[in-house]
Amino acid sequence: MFLDFKFVFFGSLVTLSLIPLYIYRKEIYKRFSKKGNLKVFIKDLKAYLTYNYPKINFNFDIVEKLDEKDLLKTKQILIIEDLARQFVYFEYELSTQKGVPKEKLWSSYDQNSTLHKDNKFPIDWPQRKEAAWNREEGNCNRCGTKTKLVDANALLAKQMKNGGGFNLENVVILCNDCARIIKSQNLEKTKKDLNFLDKLMKKVSY
């Protein structure tokens, strides 16, 4: 009987101690979320960006400007939006690239490298794209991210209207995001639709 009384007594104490936690659970969550572990999040972002976008040197200066009162989620989103801005406005110009060893070229290469009057792409354009992609080892020339051949974009460094031909030195390989940025007439609108932004947003704590 004595043991039963002690069990009930201590059980009641535990229950009473949990009631305030339940009542103020939302406030406790808010306080925890505001503090959070932003350092771990930033460390993860830096590792991810260095590995996947090695040609862009991202900075995290925005962290110093964040309001400490904000929730962790809010801070994460602000950081990611700033990284997306850096990605979009990264200075880059299409330029001629190194060539490919002659032994890797095909019989019709020279003939089809010259710009024709109709400005049509040569029949061996897919072969040229693949050769340029292999030259870059599948990496985007702008950001350095790995891209599959089927997803890669092959652009001309010197446009046809300016006399650019189809020689491999004039073919530049870009990922989908970078190609969209290069072609964009509205960078702010383009920024919202990038795979880059979608991938980073998946790292936000919800």
Side-chain angles (χ1 to χ4, degrees):
M1 187 69 180
F2 179 70
L3 290 176
D4 290 341
F5 174 76
K6 287 181 65 177
F7 177 79
V8 172
F9 176 74
F10 286 110
S12 299
L13 286 178
V14 172
T15 302
L16 289 172
S17 65
L18 291 176
I19 290 176
L21 291 176
Y22 178 78
I23 295 174
Y24 298 105
R25 64 190 184 282
K26 291 185 178 180
E27 187 64 29
I28 293 172
Y29 172 75
K30 286 182 180 179
R31 289 178 179 273
F32 175 78
S33 297
K34 285 180 180 179
K35 187 175 181 181
N37 199 335
L38 192 61
K39 289 184 178 180
V40 173
F41 175 74
I42 293 173
K43 183 179 180 180
D44 177 57
L45 276 183
K46 287 182 176 179
Y48 174 82
L49 294 171
T50 299
Y51 180 79
N52 290 285
Y53 304 95
K55 289 193 174 184
I56 300 180
N57 185 24
F58 294 93
N59 72 68
F60 287 77
D61 295 343
I62 190 175
V63 176
E64 303 299 325
K65 303 175 184 178
L66 297 176
D67 190 337
E68 293 185 0
K69 297 179 181 178
D70 286 338
L71 295 174
L72 175 61
K73 174 184 172 182
T74 302
K75 294 176 182 177
Q76 291 174 335
I77 291 175
L78 290 173
I79 291 172
I80 288 173
E81 288 179 344
D82 185 68
L83 292 172
R85 178 191 59 78
Q86 293 181 53
F87 182 76
V88 168
Y89 290 98
F90 174 67
E91 292 187 11
Y92 171 84
E93 289 186 10
L94 291 171
S95 59
T96 53
Q97 306 298 307
K98 61 183 179 181
V100 172
K102 289 185 177 181
E103 59 269 19
K104 292 186 178 182
L105 301 179
W106 48 99
S107 59
S108 62
Y109 174 79
D110 289 332
Q111 178 183 350
N112 291 327
S113 292
T114 307
L115 182 65
H116 300 290
K117 293 182 179 180
D118 57 9
N119 283 346
K120 289 184 178 180
F121 280 76
I123 193 171
D124 61 357
W125 178 249
Q127 195 170 355
R128 291 170 186 271
K129 173 185 174 181
E130 183 173 359
W133 181 81
N134 284 325
R135 176 193 63 201
E136 301 298 330
E137 298 181 341
N139 298 319
C140 172
N141 187 261
R142 180 178 182 269
C143 70
T145 195
K146 285 284 185 182
T147 180
K148 296 179 180 179
L149 177 59
V150 67
D151 297 325
N153 289 259
L155 276 61
L156 298 179
K158 186 177 182 180
Q159 300 300 305
M160 289 186 286
K161 63 181 180 181
N162 297 322
F166 304 109
N167 52 300
L168 287 174
E169 291 84 355
N170 197 40
V171 180
V172 182
I173 295 297
L174 298 177
C175 66
N176 276 326
D177 277 352
C178 288
R180 293 177 68 182
I181 291 170
I182 293 296
K183 298 175 182 178
S184 177
Q185 299 296 319
N186 187 334
L187 289 176
E188 285 302 310
K189 183 178 180 181
T190 300
K191 181 177 66 175
K192 298 176 182 178
D193 299 324
L194 295 178
N195 292 323
F196 175 89
L197 183 59
D198 289 339
K199 291 176 181 177
L200 291 191
M201 287 300 291
K202 291 179 180 178
K203 296 181 177 292
V204 173
S205 301
Y206 286 98

